[in-house]
Amino acid sequence: MNELKDKISRLDSTRMPVHVAMIMDGNGRWAKKQGFMRSDGHAEGVSTVHRVTKLSSDLGIKYLTLYAFSTENWNRPDDEVATLMYLIGWAIERELPELLRNNVRIHLIGDIERIPEDARKRLFDARDATAHCTGLQLNMCLSYSSRWEIADAARKIARKAAAGEITPDEISEDLFASNLATAGMPDPDLLIRTGGEERISNYLLWQIAYSELYFTPVLWPDFSDEDYVDAIISFQNRERRFGKTSEQVQNED
Ligand code: FPP
């Protein structure tokens, strides 16, 4: 605990990420290592979700975006999909009082209509119950893939153009972004992927154009508060140039 406090005290409060996105990978391997079922790994992963949400809130991070279930995850064995859906619904309902206590607002991103009714209802209930909260916004990406989101945005824009509400020349980066599921949110400053793989897996492809990427071999159930703070320290030690030169960035500072 003291080690964590010490690490947190080393953070530069003027350079905190506003938006952190996470790819929560490694639940299955964690379970296998312990001789457990894959579903036990997902259940253990829920504890990490609880911890990273609390720490994000305590650190004053405004947006935390979690990749809880991808469009491609529908192709997993039926029993694993069913367990994950059950877990997600159960966890969100169980966590609701704590989310409210911490002023955390739930926002759902993805093709939510595909989520089974029971879990979907619990998710909608949590979203509606936290709609007034003004602290951390917890974006849960469910039945989500970035290509789905981009195609969906293109469809919405095409409909507006076909209806004569906009002309093709009015389609700018800003207009496109305002039709994505993350409309109105700043892009992620930091994207963390646990579990050792170094890929993006169809996640927030538009939004991470200038995000800092952090890959760690730590499996999601083992991802500790210290590991999270290490990722933020790494982020704070980087120079974000957004295509400019180092000299230009330093002069701006
Ligand atoms: C990837 O690990 C993880 C997932 C597909 C699911 C992540 C979901 C949770 C942690 C539960 C979410 C709950 C809430 C409330 C947001 P993997 O199974 O691909 O691991 P592996 O690569 O080791 O097989």
Side-chain angles (χ1 to χ4, degrees):
M1 213 25 141
N2 279 342
E3 199 192 325
L4 175 64
K5 276 195 182 145
D6 183 51
K7 269 193 181 159
I8 291 176
S9 71
R10 296 205 327 258
L11 289 173
D12 177 350
S13 61
T14 66
R15 299 190 61 202
M16 288 299 289
V18 174
H19 185 168
V20 178
M22 295 194 185
I23 300 178
M24 312 184 284
D25 196 14
N27 294 345
R29 278 165 288 158
W30 181 91
K32 198 169 174 195
K33 259 175 54 183
Q34 328 279 325
F36 297 159
M37 313 254 294
R38 290 180 60 80
S39 51
D40 296 320
H42 296 313
E44 193 63 25
V46 172
S47 306
T48 308
V49 172
H50 176 96
R51 279 191 290 95
V52 298
T53 303
K54 178 75 171 74
L55 186 55
S56 301
S57 171
D58 290 348
L59 293 175
I61 288 164
K62 287 302 294 175
Y63 301 89
L64 174 65
T65 303
L66 301 179
Y67 207 1
F69 193 85
S70 72
T71 307
E72 292 75 21
N73 286 154
W74 288 116
N75 298 323
R76 291 196 173 196
D78 289 350
D79 59 337
E80 183 169 342
V81 171
T83 303
L84 267 166
M85 290 300 139
Y86 171 77
L87 261 180
I88 288 166
W90 167 82
I92 200 73
E93 190 174 89
R94 188 194 62 172
E95 294 295 322
L96 186 55
E98 166 101 353
L99 293 169
L100 286 165
R101 248 193 317 277
N102 290 312
N103 198 20
V104 177
R105 179 161 174 250
I106 295 284
H107 183 77
L108 305 173
I109 289 180
D111 192 2
I112 307 297
E113 292 308 315
R114 281 188 78 179
I115 304 289
E117 195 182 345
D118 181 63
R120 192 171 64 221
K121 181 178 179 318
R122 290 166 203 244
L123 288 161
F124 284 163
D125 285 350
R127 178 197 60 189
D128 296 346
T130 60
H132 66 284
C133 293
T134 55
L136 174 74
Q137 177 165 316
L138 175 59
N139 295 321
M140 289 185 45
C141 298
L142 291 156
S143 189
Y144 171 86
S145 82
S146 192
R147 289 181 176 178
W148 166 83
E149 181 191 26
I150 289 170
D152 192 56
R155 225 174 356 253
K156 286 185 204 155
I157 294 167
R159 279 200 202 103
K160 287 177 201 166
E165 290 166 30
I166 55 167
T167 66
D169 288 342
E170 283 175 291
I171 302 173
S172 61
E173 290 184 18
D174 283 348
L175 183 125
F176 200 89
S178 71
N179 283 277
L180 292 170
T182 50
M185 302 176 206
D187 287 339
D189 300 294
L190 171 62
L191 168 64
I192 299 172
R193 180 175 187 142
T194 62
E197 312 287 357
E198 301 194 354
R199 57 175 167 257
I200 302 301
S201 302
N202 212 351
Y203 191 43
L204 303 173
L205 297 176
W206 174 283
Q207 296 89 339
I208 61 167
Y210 281 100
S211 303
E212 296 298 328
L213 308 182
Y214 185 88
F215 299 103
T216 170
V218 176
L219 304 174
W220 179 254
D222 289 332
F223 187 67
S224 65
D225 288 358
E226 285 84 354
D227 293 325
Y228 188 6
V229 178
D230 281 342
I232 299 174
I233 291 172
S234 166
F235 165 82
Q236 293 192 331
N237 287 330
R238 301 184 194 184
E239 182 182 60
R240 303 187 74 195
R241 291 200 289 276
F242 297 97
K244 295 184 180 170
T245 67
S246 188
E247 290 72 23
Q248 284 176 305
V249 171
Q250 278 159 26
N251 285 339
E252 280 169 3
D253 286 349

